[in-house]
Amino acid sequence: MINVAIILGSTRPGRNGEAVAKWVYELAGRRSDAKFELVDIRDFNLPLLDEPVPPSMGRYSKEHTKAWAARIAPFDAFVFVTPEYNHGTCGALKNAIDFLYAEWNNKAAGFVSYGSAGGVRAVEQLRLVMGELQVADVRAQVMLSLRDDFENYSKFKPQAHHEKSLNTMLDQVIAWGTALKTVRQK
Ligand SMILES: Cc1cc2nc3c(=O)[nH]c(=O)nc-3n(C[C@H](O)[C@H](O)[C@H](O)COP(=O)(O)O)c2cc1C
């Protein structure tokens, strides 16, 4: 069975992302075809990228980078939970992604996004980033509307149909995450 990290990207106080990530984790936990863990990037207190050598060189010097790398390295696949900020993902998530390189390579990823337009623009940006990191991003995604899935834009109440989308996305993440294990073992 593969290990999948559900990565909570938003770090701000009062973030909607926390309820979304917990919902993903709760529904994913009902499956028996992968193991899931919730990873909150806020727990790592990452500063803005402060490594002198580009992460693709794999020479991490700071303790916070090493801790973050150690958390991400064991996973086979990722589900990024992202808000949309100014038509992109949030800076905290992009920064946390930029900190590492090899820990992301040859793995799979899916997305759960939220925003006034379902966070789709944030995910389109993230897909470009995934290409550079050699992450295989799956087609299915969960797009949550601030208007229709959050009461008063703040209390998370997802419409029932999102559960099916979530499981379709997870099916794809698990399939590709499993397949790519063979690439990493070579
Ligand atoms: C800096 C900022 C920029 C935002 N820009 C957008 C945007 O471009 N499109 C959108 O749909 N929502 C936008 N929003 C609304 C957020 O998607 C919404 O507040 C969401 O709950 C933020 O996620 P969070 O609560 O987990 O931090 C923005 C919010 C913030 C704080």
Side-chain angles (χ1 to χ4, degrees):
M1 260 207 296
I2 65 161
N3 295 306
V4 182
I6 295 159
I7 299 182
L8 167 50
S10 163
T11 54
R12 69 180 186 94
R15 59 194 173 168
N16 278 328
E18 191 164 329
V20 176
K22 284 182 176 161
W23 170 77
V24 174
Y25 179 64
E26 204 266 311
L27 290 180
R30 295 183 198 170
R31 300 175 66 114
S32 54
D33 52 355
K35 286 190 205 141
F36 297 90
E37 288 179 52
L38 196 51
V39 175
D40 185 348
I41 63 174
R42 195 161 80 176
D43 293 342
F44 293 83
N45 289 319
L46 293 169
L48 286 175
L49 180 60
D50 60 351
E51 285 290 342
V53 177
S56 57
M57 308 295 284
R59 288 177 14 218
Y60 303 147
S61 64
K62 312 278 180 176
E63 285 313 310
H64 51 254
T65 313
K66 290 176 188 169
W68 178 231
R71 185 72 178 112
I72 293 302
F75 291 105
D76 302 294
F78 309 102
V79 172
F80 291 101
V81 176
T82 179
E84 181 171 302
Y85 287 179
N86 297 317
H87 290 203
T89 190
C90 57
L93 177 57
K94 178 62 166 58
N95 184 55
I97 290 171
D98 289 343
F99 255 100
L100 308 181
Y101 189 72
E103 293 75 10
W104 304 119
N105 293 171
N106 294 315
K107 296 180 179 177
F111 305 97
V112 175
S113 58
Y114 50 99
S116 55
V120 292
R121 294 163 294 212
V123 172
E124 288 302 299
Q125 273 199 350
L126 277 170
R127 288 184 186 282
L128 290 174
V129 175
M130 294 296 115
E132 177 59 13
L133 292 169
Q134 303 178 66
V135 174
D137 50 314
V138 303
R139 176 176 186 257
Q141 66 189 72
V142 181
M143 296 159 281
L144 301 160
S145 154
L146 280 179
R147 192 193 61 186
D148 300 330
D149 298 304
F150 293 82
E151 217 173 74
N152 297 323
Y153 298 88
S154 56
K155 190 167 179 2
F156 186 45
K157 286 204 170 169
Q159 297 170 93
H161 67 90
H162 292 301
E163 188 168 335
K164 188 161 181 278
S165 311
L166 176 65
N167 276 306
T168 303
M169 182 269 286
L170 292 175
D171 288 343
Q172 296 179 359
V173 166
I174 292 165
W176 283 15
T178 304
L180 282 166
K181 241 180 149 168
T182 58
V183 173
R184 297 201 308 280
Q185 280 158 0
K186 271 184 192 161

